[in-house]
Amino acid sequence: MSPLTASVHAEKPFIFDLTSDTATIPTDEMFDIMKAATRGDDVYQTDDDCKALEDYVADMMGHEAALFCTSGTLSNQLGLRCLLFQPPHSVLCDSRSHVFNYECGGIAYHSQANVVPVVAKGTYMTAEEVESKINRDTLCGAITRVVSLENTMNGTIMPIEEIRKIHDVARANDLKMHLDGARLWNASQATKTPLSEYGKCFDTISICLSKGAGAPIGSMLTGTKELITRARHIRKMMGGGWRQAGMLAVAARHCINTVVPTMPETHALARKLGESLQALGMKLLLPVETNMLFIDTKPTGLTIAELADALKAKHIKIFSNNGTTTRLVFHYQITSEAIDNFIQVAAELVQMKKKSGFVPPPPSNSVVETIEQTAESAYPSATVKN
Ligand SMILES: Cc1ncc(COP(=O)(O)O)c(C=O)c1O
């Protein structure tokens, strides 16, 4: 599939949008496929294409059933809600996780649960860190019921070996396991780990269709038949029951089959840009393990706003701010040519700074203070966290 076949771009220049992998543009091919979709009612489970997508993803995950949802926030919140019954109870998760920071406090609202954020020392939370935070106090505590992991997180991968260790800790403590796998496709493709290996470690998994997979809308929740039946009921209560959703199901399935296998190329392009920007003197704030880059332009004297402005001429869009850190996210509609242009623009700007008298600081070995600060500082404030 050509990544750039959206007719809307016939008149306008295509924008290479590096602000998020949610920024992919649905293609003409997807619209053609949608025309042939079944037109049943998903609330009554009479749409064959919705059912086929649910069976397809459940099967890949090695789970019994799946539920097609509008968003990753919905599938996360439903997953957690279905694993939690009655307060006092709590969810343990990484302090940087989406379920804790960017879902509008949904866990408190939907599940009446306390959230215990674990400040991990590294790019991912370890089994020891999880174990040390389990609340077993049945007198004054909100006892831990669920461990919620996220993979990838800020583009970095939680190794399957660590997930298995956390799973063992959780089972030994009678805890349920949820995964925010919004970008699990990326982790799976990068490490060649089948989704079913992750499936073995979790009671519920949320996996997004509208991020790196490139579908226009959607996210899946997978789990046992019993859990998914409950999730379907609560989805309806939340107003998430949708009717003729078959067209979205076929577009999503098409993307799983055609876009997901191209992720290793997308990751390679991210690494290429990372290495090139580093060679120009910029700092990488996190390792580039999949499709995200966190950069600091400070050692080059450039601001992100200067870089963002110059990139516009090449139709490249990044989150702009007056500081020196930002996040760049890759997806299948970012071409190799666009990245070559990015590198050229950055190189010219760095050269101009030098000519204007900017003296780069001596190379420093100091790594960023903490991983947590890194992710925080690289998100320009008041921008969308997706
Ligand atoms: C890690 C992670 N989980 C969940 C979500 C929620 O997805 P959505 O925007 O579809 O609600 C996002 C994106 O926003 C995300 O980045």
Side-chain angles (χ1 to χ4, degrees):
M1 166 169 57
S2 160
L4 310 178
T5 51
S7 59
V8 67
H9 296 292
E11 308 93 49
K12 291 192 215 158
F14 195 90
I15 303 294
F16 298 98
D17 193 333
L18 286 159
T19 58
S20 178
D21 47 9
T22 57
T24 55
I25 304 293
T27 62
D28 289 351
E29 202 176 359
M30 290 181 204
F31 281 96
D32 290 342
I33 289 165
M34 287 188 214
K35 280 187 207 159
T38 54
R39 300 176 189 196
D41 183 323
D42 184 48
V43 169
Y44 291 116
Q45 291 178 258
T46 59
D47 186 78
D48 287 343
D49 282 330
C50 281
K51 285 200 280 186
L53 175 71
E54 289 173 342
D55 290 347
Y56 189 54
V57 175
D59 206 47
M60 276 193 273
M61 209 64 89
H63 281 181
E64 282 176 4
L67 183 67
F68 187 27
C69 296
T70 48
S71 69
T73 301
L74 182 59
S75 49
N76 271 333
Q77 292 297 322
L78 284 174
L80 291 166
R81 182 68 191 82
C82 290
L83 298 177
L84 289 159
F85 284 86
Q86 176 178 306
H89 54 189
S90 63
V91 174
L92 207 154
C93 64
D94 192 301
S95 63
R96 298 158 293 190
S97 60
H98 199 275
V99 293
F100 176 51
N101 295 293
Y102 309 121
E103 298 190 6
C104 315
I107 297 177
Y109 186 78
H110 300 297
S111 300
Q112 302 176 353
N114 191 25
V115 180
V116 176
V118 177
V119 180
K121 288 201 183 73
T123 52
Y124 55 85
M125 205 165 59
T126 64
E128 289 73 35
E129 287 169 330
V130 169
E131 190 153 28
S132 72
K133 287 287 183 181
I134 295 173
N135 192 328
R136 302 179 180 89
D137 176 1
T138 53
L139 182 62
C140 302
I143 54 174
T144 311
R145 291 286 183 210
V146 176
V147 176
S148 180
L149 305 184
E150 185 173 315
N151 193 20
T152 63
M153 174 177 289
N154 294 324
T156 63
I157 295 168
M158 179 176 243
I160 186 75
E161 296 75 20
E162 198 62 41
I163 294 174
R164 289 186 185 124
K165 283 190 206 162
I166 295 174
H167 165 265
D168 292 347
V169 167
R171 291 303 182 240
N173 287 278
D174 204 18
L175 309 180
K176 299 290 185 195
M177 291 274 286
H178 172 74
L179 176 64
D180 177 354
R183 298 183 176 84
L184 191 61
W185 306 111
N186 297 83
S188 163
Q189 287 289 319
T191 59
K192 301 194 183 351
T193 307
L195 291 182
S196 55
E197 285 304 307
Y198 298 101
K200 288 176 191 165
C201 299
F202 295 94
D203 298 286
T204 48
I205 295 183
S206 160
I207 185 165
C208 283
L209 303 162
S210 66
K211 302 205 166 55
I217 293 176
S219 183
M220 306 297 293
L221 179 71
T222 68
T224 61
K225 273 189 187 147
E226 196 184 335
L227 277 166
I228 295 303
T229 301
R230 198 164 129 74
R232 192 180 291 281
H233 197 183
I234 299 172
R235 183 187 70 167
K236 186 75 177 81
M237 179 181 73
M238 291 177 175
W242 47 6
R243 301 293 176 174
Q244 288 77 27
M247 60 192 136
L248 297 172
V250 288
R253 189 165 176 160
H254 170 72
C255 289
I256 293 171
N257 293 336
T258 58
V259 177
V260 168
T262 68
M263 284 181 174
E265 293 153 41
T266 299
H267 299 167
L269 218 47
R271 273 197 306 277
K272 178 180 169 181
L273 182 61
E275 284 161 12
S276 304
L277 296 182
Q278 234 179 346
L280 291 172
M282 295 181 197
K283 196 166 171 183
L284 296 187
L285 300 175
L286 284 175
V288 186
E289 294 177 355
T290 55
N291 66 330
M292 288 194 195
L293 269 182
F294 288 81
I295 59 165
D296 187 351
T297 54
K298 198 172 182 182
T300 63
L302 280 176
T303 64
I304 296 300
E306 286 171 319
L307 182 61
D309 278 351
L311 288 170
K312 278 184 199 157
K314 299 287 182 189
H315 309 298
I316 297 169
K317 182 177 170 189
I318 66 170
F319 270 136
S320 183
N321 67 75
N322 289 324
T324 62
T325 60
T326 199
R327 184 188 80 161
L328 308 170
V329 189
F330 285 66
H331 49 78
Y332 83 109
Q333 290 178 336
I334 302 298
T335 61
S336 173
E337 193 191 358
I339 292 312
D340 288 343
N341 285 337
F342 192 128
I343 295 165
Q344 192 197 335
V345 166
E348 283 167 10
L349 286 176
V350 169
Q351 210 42 45
M352 273 162 54
K353 276 282 165 193
K354 281 186 188 156
K355 277 195 188 141
S356 72
F358 175 78
V359 182
S364 119
N365 293 328
S366 73
V367 271
V368 178
E369 304 82 283
T370 69
I371 297 286
E372 186 182 34
Q373 286 170 3
T374 300
E376 273 300 309
S377 62
Y379 280 127
S381 59
T383 53
V384 186
K385 315 292 194 295
N386 55 21

